[in-house]
Amino acid sequence: MRRALVAGNWKMNGSRTAVSVLVDRLLSGIGDRETTEVAVCPPFPYLGMVAELLAGSGVALGGQNMCEVGGAGAYTGEVSAEMLRDLGCQYVILGHSERRTLYGETDQMVARKFDVASTAGLEAIVCVGELLDERQSGRTEQVVARQLDAILGSQAGVDGLANAVIAYEPVWAIGTGMTATPEQAQQVHAFIRQRIAAHNPQIAGGLRILYGGSVKAANAAELFGQPDIDGGLIGGAALQAEEFLAICRAAHTGR
Ligand code: 13P
């Protein structure tokens, strides 16, 4: 059985005070994490601080993005995979739709980042998902297949997915309050798993596929109850400790 993962993507939110209050509240309510793994992905400037606050808690840390070049060098404004590891990150979100649509990240850039993350020992949370007009014109699977195939065609390829996570985030559901129905999400999750199974059934069987897009305490259990939904990537609701904790509990009981 795949262990559920609930990861909070804090996006560009927080301050030193807000971050310490949020982590404090999370840690005091977190409870049993045996069946569900919990991770938080703060903005870069707070990673070190959050790493210290989380020490010994079992809650994992992740970055929200990283440079497509590994190592070190003249890349002003960038953060390397190795720096994320150095700060205690286990995960890194790659190819989030906000990176793709607002900052022009292409499938190839995401694939290069996937290689760099794999080499550095970071577990990538690779985001895929279609825009509203792509869904409405029946192209959901075509878009998700293209995004996945870039990862499968990277150097790390399907083997890299043995230590990675996929997040299906329909772009029309992100921050809109419009959640995919459990059936809509399950259909795409099953498609993702099948496409990867065509390369390596064992890796596909063990791969965690998270759903993201307006997940709330009220809809989490139903989503996480689907056979191919292994947890969630949570945006807005991850900034409210009680709501996020309730989502983590839903991953515990909903499966
Ligand atoms: P919301 O949960 O705010 O819709 O955001 C989802 C998301 O983008 C997580 O990466």
Side-chain angles (χ1 to χ4, degrees):
M1 168 119 166
R2 297 178 291 268
R3 186 177 177 214
L5 169 64
V6 177
N9 174 9
W10 294 357
K11 308 193 179 183
M12 193 174 75
N13 291 289
S15 62
R16 288 171 64 81
T17 307
V19 160
S20 68
V21 170
L22 178 56
V23 175
D24 209 46
R25 289 189 180 152
L26 286 181
L27 292 182
S28 49
I30 198 85
D32 172 26
R33 259 161 291 106
E34 247 165 57
T35 55
T36 304
E37 188 181 354
V38 177
V40 294
C41 303
F44 290 143
Y46 303 117
L47 279 172
M49 176 183 158
V50 174
E52 280 175 29
L53 293 170
L54 291 179
S57 71
V59 176
L61 188 68
Q64 297 176 15
N65 182 29
M66 52 163 238
C67 185
E68 66 186 273
V69 180
Y75 301 98
T76 301
E78 291 293 318
V79 171
S80 71
E82 291 78 3
M83 289 172 185
L84 294 181
R85 289 282 289 160
D86 192 30
L87 282 165
C89 289
Q90 178 181 345
Y91 292 102
V92 62
I93 298 170
L94 297 182
H96 190 279
S97 71
E98 285 146 23
R99 300 297 318 167
R100 293 178 190 261
T101 58
L102 303 174
Y103 300 99
E105 282 194 21
T106 62
D107 294 335
Q108 286 63 40
M109 284 166 74
V110 179
R112 280 198 292 277
K113 290 185 181 196
F114 181 71
D115 278 334
V116 170
S118 304
T119 305
L122 279 171
E123 293 182 49
I125 301 175
V126 181
C127 301
V128 297
E130 80 288 359
L131 302 168
L132 184 58
D133 72 302
E134 291 168 335
R135 172 163 283 268
Q136 286 172 339
S137 59
R139 285 182 291 145
T140 298
E141 291 190 354
Q142 187 188 326
V143 170
V144 169
R146 193 202 68 223
Q147 293 168 333
L148 281 180
D149 288 352
I151 298 298
L152 290 165
S154 69
Q155 264 171 16
V158 69
D159 292 341
L161 288 173
N163 291 306
V165 176
I166 300 281
Y168 169 58
E169 298 207 309
V171 182
W172 48 272
I174 296 178
T176 58
M178 252 163 64
T179 318
T181 64
E183 294 73 27
Q184 281 175 324
Q186 165 58 26
Q187 201 174 8
V188 181
H189 281 233
F191 171 77
I192 292 170
R193 201 176 303 284
Q194 279 157 19
R195 195 151 188 107
I196 293 162
H199 292 256
N200 186 323
Q202 206 179 341
I203 286 175
L207 178 71
R208 293 184 292 184
I209 307 176
L210 312 184
Y211 170 79
S214 298
V215 178
K216 304 182 263 296
N219 59 25
E222 221 189 339
L223 285 160
F224 299 160
Q226 298 297 310
D228 287 294
I229 302 185
D230 306 308
L233 184 56
I234 319 300
L239 299 170
Q240 298 161 335
E242 282 313 316
E243 188 75 9
F244 186 69
L245 288 167
I247 294 169
C248 296
R249 283 194 295 274
H252 188 65
T253 52
R255 313 174 77 235

